[in-house]
Amino acid sequence: MQNLQWYPGHMAKTRRLIEENLKLIDVVVEILDARIPFSGRNPNFNDIIKNKPRLLVLNKADLADKNRTKQWINWYAEQNLKVIPISCATGMGLNTVLNEARALIQDKIDREKEKGRKRTLKIMMVGIPNVGKSSLINRLIGKASTKTGDKPGVTRGKQWLKIKGDTELLDTPGILPPKFEDQSVAMRLAYTGAIRDEIMNTELLAYSLCEYLRDNYPDDLCARYKLDSIECLEGHEVLEQIGKKRGFVISGGEIDMERAANMLLDELRGAKIGSITLETPNDFDKKEVL
């Protein structure tokens, strides 16, 4: 397994930005990719955010395994963390985000109201790169006020954004941890595109992905690429079969494995293989959460 590290300078600046502005915030909304509900969390956020009220939002839930999403919601609930699944692409669950965030400080809002004051709800949006943070904000405010893109690292500075009514959002750039103690976590991030493909060996990444799909979603994989039994095949052999089925043959009858690898990753990210979640709560210890 390749050793992945990714911590450009702007991510260190983002950590300082979050720490400096936290005192201005009522609620932190942490956006996660529903396909990696644990690996997609920056563990450093726990140290930075501390006891600030927090809402977890599982974006891209339309691309994820619904049964596993339910497992994750229940798992986090056992640790007193509120989780809601949404999809910026379909609009699912978007109307609940602000209501759930407000509910976390409703007692403070009520106290201010009793004193004749109207409290503005100030929310900080955080998350790793490429989880759809800017897309969520654009949907909430109804216009494209933040930069968005399909590659990690698009948002580079903080942005305060006004939502109609009594809510303001502070957008922050995506930030990964400075190092990955568990390389399987890094691999899951890479599968979903949270780490730039340019720094990856995509063939090795595709081999390991093939092995995961072989063990967890064999029917989806076989149906998508019209494969026969893959139970006894290694990852590179599965990818070779996929390349052969797609006609990625080069001179000498060899399979263009790089092309097959890129295609597999693209189709995973676009949910063309199926609704897939790349981890379950059983893969992790609860003590790792807080």
Side-chain angles (χ1 to χ4, degrees):
M1 182 180 292
Q2 57 189 317
N3 190 39
L4 304 180
Q5 302 297 341
W6 173 248
Y7 202 65
H10 78 272
M11 290 189 180
K13 293 178 182 178
T14 298
R15 175 173 179 139
R16 292 194 297 271
L17 183 154
I18 293 172
E19 291 172 331
E20 291 167 0
N21 287 275
L22 198 61
K23 61 182 178 295
L24 306 175
I25 300 300
D26 296 307
V27 176
V28 174
V29 172
E30 184 177 350
I31 299 94
L32 309 173
D33 187 324
R35 299 166 297 178
I36 48 171
F38 187 90
S39 296
R41 299 188 72 200
N42 185 330
N44 291 342
F45 284 151
N46 294 326
D47 294 331
I48 300 171
I49 297 169
K50 297 183 172 62
N51 296 322
K52 187 70 69 172
R54 183 171 3 175
L55 174 67
L56 302 185
V57 172
L58 296 182
N59 188 29
K60 306 183 184 181
D62 56 314
L63 307 181
D65 183 326
K66 291 180 174 56
N67 290 328
R68 289 191 175 187
T69 296
K70 291 177 182 177
Q71 293 175 21
W72 280 108
I73 291 172
N74 293 335
W75 192 74
Y76 277 121
E78 291 174 0
Q79 284 117 106
N80 298 314
L81 284 171
K82 179 68 177 180
V83 182
I84 56 174
I86 70 164
S87 169
C88 290
T90 68
M92 181 191 77
L94 294 181
N95 59 350
T96 65
V97 175
L98 297 182
N99 291 337
E100 293 290 351
R102 184 174 287 104
L104 293 176
I105 64 158
Q106 191 61 52
D107 57 338
K108 295 180 180 179
I109 294 174
D110 292 341
R111 286 197 298 269
E112 293 287 335
K113 188 175 181 179
E114 289 175 0
K115 297 176 183 179
R117 303 172 189 161
K118 186 176 181 180
R119 185 186 183 93
T120 297
L121 175 63
K122 294 190 175 182
I123 298 173
M124 178 184 285
M125 307 291 251
V126 301
I128 67 168
N130 209 36
V131 293
K133 191 158 44 64
S134 295
S135 296
L136 172 58
I137 292 174
N138 290 341
R139 292 296 295 262
L140 292 177
I141 64 178
K143 60 180 179 179
S145 291
T146 61
K147 296 178 181 179
T148 63
D150 59 2
K151 291 187 177 182
V154 174
T155 304
R156 289 303 179 100
K158 74 173 184 178
Q159 301 182 74
W160 276 106
L161 299 159
K162 178 76 173 179
I163 294 182
K164 61 181 180 179
D166 58 351
T167 304
E168 293 181 4
L169 301 179
L170 176 60
D171 186 21
T172 60
I175 176 174
L176 288 169
K179 61 181 179 178
F180 300 109
E181 301 293 346
D182 184 345
Q183 285 298 301
S184 65
V185 167
M187 296 295 279
R188 294 183 192 111
L189 289 166
Y191 294 153
T192 60
I195 299 174
R196 292 182 185 275
D197 288 338
E198 290 84 351
I199 69 167
M200 303 299 304
N201 183 320
T202 54
E203 286 185 43
L204 292 179
L205 189 63
Y207 296 162
S208 64
L209 176 59
C210 282
E211 291 177 359
Y212 184 85
L213 297 176
R214 176 200 65 200
D215 295 339
N216 291 271
Y217 295 95
D219 293 342
D220 294 281
L221 189 63
C222 289
R224 177 62 183 172
Y225 300 111
K226 298 179 173 58
L227 305 177
D228 297 323
S229 176
I230 58 173
E231 184 178 355
C232 298
L233 298 183
E234 298 294 330
H236 70 278
E237 295 173 316
V238 175
L239 187 65
E240 186 174 20
Q241 291 295 318
I242 290 172
K244 186 179 298 184
K245 288 290 186 178
R246 286 297 174 93
F248 297 163
V249 182
I250 53 180
S251 59
E254 293 185 7
I255 303 301
D256 188 338
M257 298 292 274
E258 182 179 3
R259 184 181 176 190
N262 289 329
M263 181 270 299
L264 179 71
L265 291 168
D266 285 343
E267 296 207 340
L268 173 83
R269 294 165 186 172
K272 292 181 179 179
I273 300 172
S275 299
I276 290 169
T277 298
L278 296 163
E279 55 196 14
T280 72
N282 292 333
D283 297 328
F284 304 97
D285 191 326
K286 287 189 176 78
K287 68 183 180 180
E288 299 178 72
V289 178
L290 296 174

